[in-house]
Amino acid sequence: ILNVEQSPQSLHVQEGDSTNFTCSFPSSNFYALHWYRWETAKSPEALFVMTLNGDEKKKGRISATLNTKEGYSYLYIKGSQPEDSATYLCAFIVSNAGNMLTFGGGTRLMVKP
Amino acid sequence: DSGVTQTPKHLITATGQRVTLRCSPRSGDLSVYWYQQSLDQGLQFLIHYYNGEERAKGNILERFSAQQFPDLHSELNLSSLELGDSALYFCASSPTDIFNFPGGNEQFFGPGTRLTVL
């Protein structure tokens, strides 16, 4: 059973704060890590697909880094806005598991105006 | 709007019954994935089809089955339903699979079907 853990489970920040959260995954047999953003009453939307150790991806104010050797990825949000409020999910693909995404429990971010 | 459609949006049925959930992937996408989101669990991968063939199987119960048709739409069949099967079922699609695209394509999720078993 693969264990993908995300911390913290939830986070409350003020508008304008920068924040980050962690996704931990098994470092052996790594193939890829995906980040998704899931707003309430909507469907998950892909943010990043990361494959290489040291990968850094950026989309607007959101960025992510990947360390496959130690088994973690960080997601950063710079200058949080209320519209960033959502659950952020990471999902891990093992090299011999086809396209099977194993999701973490998510970090629920709430940004107060 | 991701371009993935799922029907029905809501389904209420009784224990012991059988239901079929339908998913149409984005135009051109060959891969379809099914996920289950229960109240007490995160998103759980059920099954993946690529161009009509089963590619990967997750924690899918024997009472559940799926298929992908030649027009690439997919159906998830749930039978002998139990109260614990009540959940949100998502379908997602992607252009290809990891064997054809390193890292795997990002997946585009449909709006989900909320199944309530009474």
Side-chain angles (χ1 to χ4, degrees):
Chain A
I1 297 175
L2 295 175
N3 220 12
V4 180
E5 294 184 359
Q6 291 188 247
S7 62
Q9 278 192 319
S10 65
L11 196 53
H12 294 250
V13 301
Q14 288 295 134
E15 182 175 354
D17 287 351
S18 292
T19 186
N20 66 85
F21 17 95
T22 307
C23 171
S24 301
F25 52 85
S27 55
S28 57
N29 296 321
F30 174 86
Y31 189 83
L33 189 87
H34 292 207
W35 279 100
Y36 288 82
R37 181 171 176 272
W38 192 358
E39 286 182 74
T40 304
K42 294 190 177 180
S43 310
E45 288 181 23
L47 288 172
F48 305 115
V49 174
M50 309 181 81
T51 56
L52 298 174
N53 185 43
D55 248 357
E56 287 189 28
K57 301 259 179 164
K58 189 173 179 182
K59 191 182 277 192
R61 293 178 292 97
I62 304 178
S63 60
T65 60
L66 178 67
N67 183 323
T68 60
K69 294 188 188 310
E70 294 182 40
Y72 64 84
S73 175
Y74 293 138
L75 190 81
Y76 300 92
I77 302 179
K78 188 176 175 183
S80 303
Q81 299 296 308
E83 56 266 30
D84 295 329
S85 297
T87 296
Y88 291 83
L89 296 167
C90 69
F92 173 70
I93 299 180
V94 171
S95 58
N96 61 352
N99 256 60
M100 186 174 118
L101 283 178
T102 299
F103 280 87
T107 291
R108 188 169 176 224
L109 174 68
M110 283 152 283
V111 183
K112 297 177 193 173
Chain B
D1 183 359
S2 66
V4 178
T5 60
Q6 288 187 250
T7 56
K9 198 168 180 180
H10 299 278
L11 195 47
I12 301 175
T13 188
T15 54
Q17 295 298 305
R18 173 190 168 95
V19 297
T20 297
L21 313 184
R22 185 188 165 104
C23 167
S24 293
R26 293 186 324 155
S27 177
D29 283 359
L30 298 177
S31 274
V32 169
Y33 314 82
W34 286 98
Y35 294 91
Q36 180 192 56
Q37 165 87 42
S38 303
L39 269 176
D40 56 348
Q41 294 199 1
L43 268 177
Q44 299 285 315
F45 169 81
L46 294 177
I47 199 162
H48 165 220
Y49 277 86
Y50 173 73
N51 205 18
E53 289 185 11
E54 183 185 302
R55 277 282 213 238
K57 222 168 183 175
N59 296 321
I60 188 166
L61 299 170
E62 283 190 16
R63 300 183 284 109
F64 295 1
S65 64
Q67 58 184 130
Q68 186 180 28
F69 294 87
D71 67 352
L72 301 176
H73 91 271
S74 177
E75 292 181 357
L76 180 67
N77 299 297
L78 315 175
S79 60
S80 302
L81 285 167
E82 301 174 1
L83 296 177
D85 297 328
S86 296
L88 191 52
Y89 290 85
F90 283 107
C91 162
S93 74
S94 69
T96 178
D97 67 359
I98 66 169
F99 300 108
N100 292 295
F101 190 81
N105 302 125
E106 61 187 271
Q107 295 182 15
F108 296 86
F109 283 75
T113 292
R114 183 165 293 283
L115 173 67
T116 303
V117 183
L118 300 174

